Amino acid sequence: MKRKIKRRFKVKFWALLPLLPLLSFSLITALIFFWQEAPVQAVEQSMGRALRTEQSLNLRTIPEGNPASEEDAGSVRLKPLIEDEVGLLSDAEYDRLLKQLETISKRHKCDVAVVTVYSLNGLTAEEFADDYFDYNGYGYGQDDDGILFLLSMEYRDWAMTTHQFGIYAFDDYGLDQIFSELKADLAADQYYSAFSRFAEECDYFLERARAGKPVRIHDEKRKKARVMGMSLAGLGFGSIGGIAPVNRMRKELKTVHRVYGASHYMNRKSRRLDQAADKLIDRRTRVYPIAQASNSASSSTSGTSSTHRSSSGRSHGGRSGKF
């Protein structure tokens, strides 16, 4: 029996030898397939953002023969409302922010855009932001209304540029207030939080401007004055209401008596100074120059918004600085 089993086993083993080339070919084919599949998946992921960008640009396409859409016709925007050239955002953050910017821009008919680049290519942040807005077709409607927020990571520069209705909606005070809301997140490298906050602030400013009540510094001062007045009024009423109980408690303190002078607290045996005098020994005076505050926006002034001319000859408002 043992000899028969060994013979059968040997016959089966030698029978598999012709199949070895086929098995080797199948293994090599499988390895080649998986090796080619991985780059395809990477390419599909990288093209996902490009596809979403194309879809966002298609929102600006105006159907032919549609009179209702002609009032929105203006410059053809060549790039999306969020252009993250540095890669500060993940794909999920990019999608959420793009949807937020598109919703706000469409609601108020004013482009709200965010751009990140590494280098300014020898320009100032203000010049780069103006040119990026003008030569990439940003701006909503026939007047190209809009605002663009730029970050350059090489030397951590920032700039905001406004055009047409954007100049009216965001004056110098408003742009400074918006950046004051962003600088903490920017300093902490929380870029998505900063960009989302920028969109929210623009939504509020544009809503006020479309209602004919743009945010202005004198309005904010009045608001602060009203808050201060209400606080003082509350303090006054609270003080009046607290006088009666405090007075009643004061009358109950019968063991407390007023003492005039400090003779009760003096130690007669302590050291006594018969003569005391202050003498000027030396005098030194140091003079330091006071640095004048510089304004990032120059040229002509329109209302409360400082405006300037870009390289394309168009008028822009804006602010810039470091973060």
Side-chain angles (χ1 to χ4, degrees):
M1 289 294 293
K2 292 182 179 179
R3 290 180 179 178
K4 291 182 180 180
I5 292 172
K6 289 182 179 179
R7 287 175 182 175
R8 288 178 182 175
F9 177 76
K10 288 181 179 180
V11 170
K12 290 182 179 180
F13 176 76
W14 289 108
L16 293 175
L17 288 179
L19 299 177
L20 288 179
L22 180 61
L23 294 175
S24 301
F25 177 76
S26 301
L27 180 61
I28 294 173
T29 304
L31 292 175
I32 294 174
F33 173 78
F34 286 112
W35 179 74
Q36 291 179 346
E37 185 67 16
V40 169
Q41 293 178 353
V43 170
E44 289 177 350
Q45 291 178 356
S46 63
M47 291 183 64
R49 180 175 293 189
L51 179 60
R52 292 189 294 271
T53 297
E54 183 179 356
Q55 292 173 349
S56 68
L57 292 177
N58 288 338
L59 294 176
R60 294 287 294 271
T61 303
I62 300 173
E64 295 182 1
N66 187 358
S69 302
E70 291 178 358
E71 63 178 5
D72 295 335
S75 299
V76 178
R77 178 153 49 83
L78 305 178
K79 294 190 176 183
L81 292 175
I82 169 67
E83 185 68 10
D84 184 20
E85 296 183 8
V86 184
L88 302 178
L89 304 174
S90 65
D91 285 345
E93 292 172 340
Y94 180 94
D95 290 340
R96 289 197 298 269
L97 184 61
L98 179 61
K99 184 177 180 180
Q100 184 181 13
L101 294 174
E102 288 174 346
T103 301
I104 294 172
S105 300
K106 186 175 181 180
R107 181 190 305 139
H108 301 295
K109 298 186 182 300
C110 181
D111 273 357
V112 179
V114 175
V115 175
T116 70
V117 297
Y118 176 73
S119 175
L120 297 176
N121 299 328
L123 301 176
T124 65
E126 177 185 273
E127 293 169 345
F128 193 97
D130 293 342
D131 290 349
Y132 205 97
F133 186 99
D134 293 341
Y135 297 116
N136 287 294
Y138 285 98
Y140 199 103
Q142 294 180 350
D143 294 331
D144 295 333
D145 304 321
I147 178 173
L148 183 144
F149 180 40
L150 168 75
L151 281 190
S152 173
M153 303 306 297
E154 185 176 17
Y155 300 111
R156 298 182 73 84
D157 294 286
W158 70 272
M160 295 184 195
T161 182
T162 57
H163 185 59
Q164 292 291 24
F165 184 76
I167 298 176
Y168 169 73
F170 306 96
D171 67 344
D172 295 343
Y173 168 78
L175 296 176
D176 290 338
Q177 290 299 110
I178 291 176
F179 183 75
S180 67
E181 297 291 332
L182 313 180
K183 60 183 180 182
D185 287 332
L186 292 175
D189 295 338
Q190 300 295 322
Y191 298 109
Y192 173 75
S193 178
F195 296 155
S196 181
R197 183 64 176 172
F198 169 75
E200 293 173 357
E201 291 293 319
C202 289
D203 189 17
Y204 171 72
F205 274 70
L206 288 170
E207 184 177 3
R208 288 278 304 267
R210 289 298 183 188
K213 299 178 180 179
V215 177
R216 295 292 184 260
I217 186 171
H218 51 77
D219 296 331
E220 298 302 311
K221 287 182 177 179
R222 291 197 194 100
K223 186 184 297 183
K224 291 179 180 179
R226 285 198 300 268
V227 172
M228 182 64 69
M230 294 176 63
S231 300
L232 293 176
L235 181 62
F237 285 120
S239 300
I240 294 173
I243 288 177
V246 171
N247 191 34
R248 184 171 61 252
M249 294 170 63
R250 184 181 64 82
K251 291 180 179 180
E252 293 176 356
L253 297 175
K254 298 180 180 180
T255 59
V256 179
H257 303 282
R258 185 187 294 264
V259 176
Y260 297 93
S263 58
H264 296 280
Y265 306 101
M266 294 178 62
N267 186 356
R268 300 295 181 182
K269 297 181 181 181
S270 63
R271 178 178 294 184
R272 184 178 63 186
L273 297 176
D274 294 331
Q275 295 181 355
D278 292 330
K279 295 183 179 180
L280 179 62
I281 299 176
D282 192 9
R283 175 182 293 173
R284 295 181 181 180
T285 303
R286 295 183 179 181
V287 180
Y288 296 95
I290 299 176
Q292 299 294 327
S294 60
N295 192 344
S296 62
S298 58
S299 299
S300 62
T301 302
S302 175
T304 56
S305 295
S306 300
T307 59
H308 54 272
R309 293 285 178 182
S310 65
S311 63
S312 66
R314 300 206 295 181
S315 179
H316 284 267
R319 298 303 246 190
S320 61
K322 300 280 187 179
F323 68 94

